[in-house]
Amino acid sequence: MSKAYPPDLRIDDRMIVAAALDRILYDDPDHFAAEDARTVRRLIPHSRSAWLRLGFRAERQGPSMKGEAAGIGDVRMEGDKKVVEGSVGESATWRCGQYKITNHGGDLEIWQVMSDEYAPEPKGARLEFDEKGEPERLTFFQPRDIELRIPFTSLAVGVRLGGWQPWKMVAEGGVVAG
């Protein structure tokens, strides 16, 4: 069975999307232009979303050694850190300039290229549309980290829960004063 690939974006479209996202994210601290949001939504192909999206990241420290070094004293060498990442239910993502964008239909998820949900300071936003398809608001990703320690061991399990917090509203009349 062959896998169907979504159509590709032309370089001109990618540049238009990147410029519109720059204006949406950086021009005004409280508002964004509706026309820029419509342009991005029109150019980024809609991709099917799974009903459940899960991502994981596991880190494990390798074995460490300790001992004594002549002229130095006690020394400790940490083993290499091993990281495993994966996800289930991911949608097609489009790269436009410094952004990765996914069109879920009711919203566009936007991430800076070198950031994701697991970054120490994640840089993600979601452009949300109402039921008529009109831009409504922009939210930003605000994680909540929980660490669960396993009693009587040195093991801990970290869980990052994602949440979206209000950021900007669409400008009245659709144009941002700049």
Side-chain angles (χ1 to χ4, degrees):
M1 179 190 220
S2 67
K3 182 176 179 180
Y5 291 96
D8 201 10
L9 288 176
R10 298 177 326 156
I11 189 68
D12 295 353
D13 292 338
R14 291 175 192 264
M15 291 173 64
I16 290 168
V17 167
L21 287 174
D22 282 343
R23 288 190 299 272
I24 289 169
L25 298 172
Y26 300 114
D27 272 4
D28 184 290
D30 301 317
H31 300 91
F32 62 92
E35 191 53 41
D36 283 335
R38 285 187 206 104
T39 298
V40 174
R41 187 174 189 206
R42 180 175 42 84
L43 292 175
I44 298 296
H46 179 269
S47 56
R48 299 179 85 183
S49 298
W51 66 273
L52 176 65
R53 279 179 39 204
L54 291 174
F56 68 89
R57 176 184 174 106
E59 295 181 9
R60 186 178 64 150
Q61 190 73 36
S64 60
M65 298 180 348
K66 63 181 178 177
E68 292 183 28
I72 297 176
D74 292 339
V75 293
R76 181 178 178 93
M77 293 176 55
E78 295 294 331
D80 293 337
K81 183 187 286 188
K82 296 180 180 164
V83 177
V84 176
E85 291 183 351
S87 61
V88 175
E90 289 294 314
S91 301
T93 301
W94 303 94
R95 167 84 188 266
C96 299
Q98 67 170 323
Y99 306 106
K100 300 178 286 187
I101 308 115
T102 303
N103 184 347
H104 297 289
D107 66 71
L108 295 167
E109 199 168 310
I110 305 155
W111 290 90
Q112 282 192 335
V113 168
M114 298 302 286
S115 184
D116 61 17
E117 296 93 335
Y118 308 112
E121 294 181 27
K123 293 178 172 60
R126 192 167 64 187
L127 193 53
E128 299 175 0
F129 296 82
D130 64 16
E131 53 279 342
K132 296 177 194 169
E134 287 300 310
E136 197 169 40
R137 66 179 171 214
L138 185 69
T139 57
F140 68 95
F141 184 76
Q142 181 65 54
R144 282 175 254 138
D145 293 330
I146 301 170
E147 184 174 274
L148 307 169
R149 295 220 167 258
I150 300 172
F152 309 111
T153 71
S154 61
L155 300 175
V157 175
V159 177
R160 175 164 276 184
L161 303 173
W164 298 95
Q165 301 298 318
W167 182 8
K168 298 181 182 191
M169 297 301 289
V170 68
E172 293 298 322
V175 178
V176 175

